[in-house]
Amino acid sequence: MGGQAQANCPPNAAAGSSHENAHRQFVVSSKVDEALLAQAATLSLTIQACNSTIRASYKGLILTARVIPNYSLYGVQAQPGWQSWFDFEWIPQRSRPYNWTIRAHKHDGMIQILYLTRGAGDVLIDHSRTFFKAPCLIWIPAQTVHGFNFSEDVDGPVVTAAQRPLESQVGVSSPELLSILRKPAVISLTGASGYAESLMPLFLAIERESRVQAGGQLTAGMALLTAICIQMARLMRVNDIDMPNAHSRKSAQIEKFRRMVDENFKKHLPITNYAEQLSITSGQLSRLCREVLGVSSLDVINERMTHEAQRLLIYTGNSIKQLAYALGFADETYFCRFFRKHTGLSPSEFREKAMDAMLNPVNVSNVD
């Protein structure tokens, strides 16, 4: 009996032990709950931070990760711009393997001409998209960033050719056409059946020349391309697309001036420097530009600078300060003032709007 009493705990002691165990379990459970809540809060903050980073970086990633390839033909290593060369293909040959989508790229020395006889789609030219529908002609000069989304029923020829040899030939035979070689265009052929009918025989003749290795091949190919340029100029008039119509000598002077601007615009040279190289006064140069192009000589330089700034804003992820330096500006503030004056937007605002425009293409009145 006595041993039994010693073996059993007193009632008060047992109750106290039970309370202590319950309290200890409560404390442990509370600590576990607190740890879980802390982990959950940390995880929530991490997710929020990641989402914020993703949202903030989305357009930046588009800019910084987007490197514009330079090709002779899409997916083919670029040839030197001075190389005499031309190629003929049918649009499905290159677009079908890429699921009818040709991503943004450029040809440094090559001009590209597409004649759509069937299908539709949209084309990216620099920083804007344009819808097109066959029949139409698409003209892409050298150094123009472009890309395509084609419908699966698309068809028609496409010619890629070295621009400099073509310019040399056009400059001799039809110098007034030089201006159209450097301006991208989407030309509807609806309602222009007469001119459109004359295009296909020219393209087929270029196809034959591209398939036969024979003497005079390049000369014949460039002559045929010159004929296409003439037809395109006529089509532009039918479609009421503005095209300079100047005396050949004046046109040649303008083209020389524009070439000099292309080579030197980042140097911010004074107008007198260009005029002296043309053996005329700065006043004569400005009057010449107004007569042929409808703008002053300073406007030509500023437009070239603005165009390059826009391309860099869209197709590089460089900061505004880096862009200003690359374009020859002394400081970022001066560049921003220049850009706003000529576009009505700050560089950052333009970059934002241009990205939205690329993601949401708009229709153009001259394309049916």
Side-chain angles (χ1 to χ4, degrees):
M1 293 286 296
Q4 228 175 3
Q6 288 178 357
N8 293 325
C9 294
N12 289 341
S17 176
S18 176
H19 286 308
E20 287 177 8
N21 289 335
H23 178 70
R24 190 179 297 110
Q25 291 174 359
F26 174 77
V27 170
V28 171
S29 177
S30 297
K31 289 182 177 179
V32 170
D33 289 344
E34 288 176 2
L36 290 173
L37 287 171
Q39 290 177 359
T42 301
L43 180 60
S44 177
L45 290 171
T46 301
I47 292 172
Q48 290 177 17
C50 288
N51 287 339
S52 298
T53 302
I54 291 170
R55 286 193 298 270
S57 301
Y58 174 71
K59 289 183 179 177
L61 284 171
I62 293 176
L63 292 168
T64 56
R66 187 171 191 172
V67 176
I68 303 302
N70 175 33
Y71 298 131
S72 289
L73 299 171
Y74 187 73
V76 178
Q77 184 64 38
Q79 301 292 328
W82 44 262
Q83 183 167 321
S84 298
W85 179 85
F86 70 93
D87 179 83
F88 180 96
E89 289 182 331
W90 293 91
I91 296 172
Q93 286 179 245
R94 195 161 297 272
S95 58
R96 184 184 287 113
Y98 293 96
N99 198 28
W100 309 103
T101 296
I102 303 298
R103 297 185 182 277
H105 65 288
K106 65 177 181 177
H107 313 286
D108 264 353
M110 306 295 166
I111 194 168
Q112 200 162 62
I113 314 156
L114 296 87
Y115 176 25
L116 273 83
T117 58
R118 192 173 66 216
D122 64 77
V123 55
L124 168 72
I125 297 178
D126 283 331
H127 53 82
S128 62
R129 284 193 178 274
T130 299
F131 287 107
F132 58 79
K133 181 181 178 182
C136 70
L137 198 66
I138 302 176
W139 185 271
I140 307 292
Q143 300 182 359
T144 301
V145 176
H146 62 287
F148 297 95
N149 290 308
F150 294 112
S151 61
E152 293 186 5
D153 62 339
V154 70
D155 202 4
V158 53
V159 174
T160 306
Q163 183 158 335
R164 291 183 185 178
L166 179 59
E167 285 186 352
S168 297
Q169 183 150 327
V170 169
V172 172
S173 60
S174 304
E176 69 277 5
L177 299 181
L178 283 171
S179 58
I180 71 173
L181 295 182
R182 296 180 176 178
K183 182 179 180 180
V186 179
I187 306 171
S188 173
L189 302 183
T190 303
S193 57
Y195 292 129
E197 288 173 2
S198 65
L199 283 171
M200 187 55 77
L202 293 172
F203 278 98
L204 294 177
I206 291 174
E207 180 183 27
R208 288 193 294 272
E209 285 296 329
S210 69
R211 302 285 186 260
V212 178
Q213 299 295 324
Q217 181 189 40
L218 178 65
T219 302
M222 291 300 164
L224 290 166
L225 282 168
T226 300
I228 289 177
C229 289
I230 293 170
Q231 293 301 316
M232 191 175 80
R234 293 170 178 172
L235 288 164
M236 290 175 75
R237 292 189 182 100
V238 170
N239 284 270
D240 292 325
I241 299 174
D242 292 335
M243 191 185 78
N245 183 18
H247 187 273
S248 59
R249 181 174 176 275
K250 293 179 179 179
S251 179
Q253 286 181 307
I254 287 295
E255 289 308 314
K256 184 176 180 180
F257 171 55
R258 294 181 71 172
R259 284 197 298 271
M260 289 191 296
V261 171
D262 284 342
E263 294 170 1
N264 299 291
F265 71 95
K266 295 179 184 179
K267 298 177 183 177
H268 298 255
L269 300 175
I271 297 296
T272 52
N273 187 287
Y274 294 103
E276 287 172 1
Q277 295 183 59
L278 293 168
S279 301
I280 58 178
T281 67
S282 56
Q284 288 173 323
L285 176 56
S286 191
R287 284 193 296 272
L288 179 64
C289 289
R290 289 189 184 279
E291 181 181 345
V292 178
L293 303 175
V295 296
S296 71
S297 52
L298 181 59
D299 288 335
V300 173
I301 298 170
N302 288 338
E303 285 174 7
R304 182 66 182 88
M305 178 69 75
T306 302
H307 179 68
E308 185 67 15
Q310 290 173 330
R311 285 174 52 174
L312 291 175
L313 282 166
I314 296 167
Y315 294 109
T316 75
N318 293 344
S319 68
I320 307 302
K321 185 175 182 179
Q322 289 171 322
L323 293 183
Y325 179 77
L327 293 170
F329 287 87
D331 58 67
E332 178 182 352
T333 303
Y334 180 42
F335 168 65
C336 290
R337 284 202 302 267
F338 170 88
F339 192 85
R340 183 179 288 277
K341 178 181 178 181
H342 294 281
T343 67
L345 299 168
S346 71
S348 298
E349 289 169 342
F350 173 82
R351 177 175 269 174
E352 180 80 18
K353 287 182 177 291
M355 292 305 302
D356 289 340
M358 289 174 65
L359 295 173
N360 300 287
V362 296
N363 207 346
V364 173
S365 58
N366 73 320
V367 180
D368 295 331

